[in-house]
Amino acid sequence: MAIVDIFDLKEQLSFTDDIGSVDDDLLQRKLDAAHNHVERLLGFKIEETFGGEDQDPIPPALIEAVSQLAAWWYEQREAAGDTAREIPFGVREIITEYREFTF
């Protein structure tokens, strides 16, 4: 189960109803990739740690990290060369707050 759905991502991107579902498959791929990337950086599966019975709710900051990253990848999908940028400011900081460090 994803912590962000395609409707949340469309809201993040400020899509209007008239855009329809033209890019739904692409948006879902970006969303799945962002969710996976955030979990890999965290070192754990979000739904195994948060949101279940007898668990703390999913932190809004992690929802924001997945949303921002998916929207960023969607908006930057054609970026190359000088226009290519690192992931949005704040995403790494959010992940670092919740990351499980092992030594």
Side-chain angles (χ1 to χ4, degrees):
M1 178 179 160
I3 65 170
V4 179
D5 64 28
I6 197 165
F7 302 106
D8 297 326
L9 181 55
K10 286 181 177 184
E11 183 179 57
Q12 178 80 17
L13 290 162
S14 298
F15 279 12
T16 58
D17 291 337
D18 59 323
I19 291 177
S21 60
V22 174
D23 282 346
D24 280 1
D25 291 339
L26 177 60
L27 289 169
Q28 190 61 56
R29 285 196 312 271
K30 300 298 181 188
L31 190 54
D32 293 344
H35 188 101
N36 177 261
H37 187 67
V38 167
E39 286 184 334
R40 291 193 61 189
L41 291 174
L42 286 169
F44 60 85
K45 299 275 186 197
I46 296 169
E47 294 87 2
E48 291 177 4
T49 307
F50 297 107
E53 195 172 317
D54 298 326
Q55 293 178 327
D56 290 334
I58 297 170
L62 289 179
I63 294 169
E64 184 64 23
V66 171
S67 298
Q68 281 188 26
L69 186 56
W72 174 259
W73 282 346
Y74 177 78
E75 291 174 336
Q76 301 297 314
R77 65 192 178 281
E78 296 178 16
D82 292 339
T83 61
R85 304 273 189 265
E86 194 170 337
I87 64 173
F89 178 75
V91 171
R92 287 194 191 278
E93 288 78 4
I94 292 169
I95 293 166
T96 299
E97 290 177 28
Y98 292 95
R99 185 170 176 200
E100 287 186 355
F101 291 95
T102 59
F103 299 94

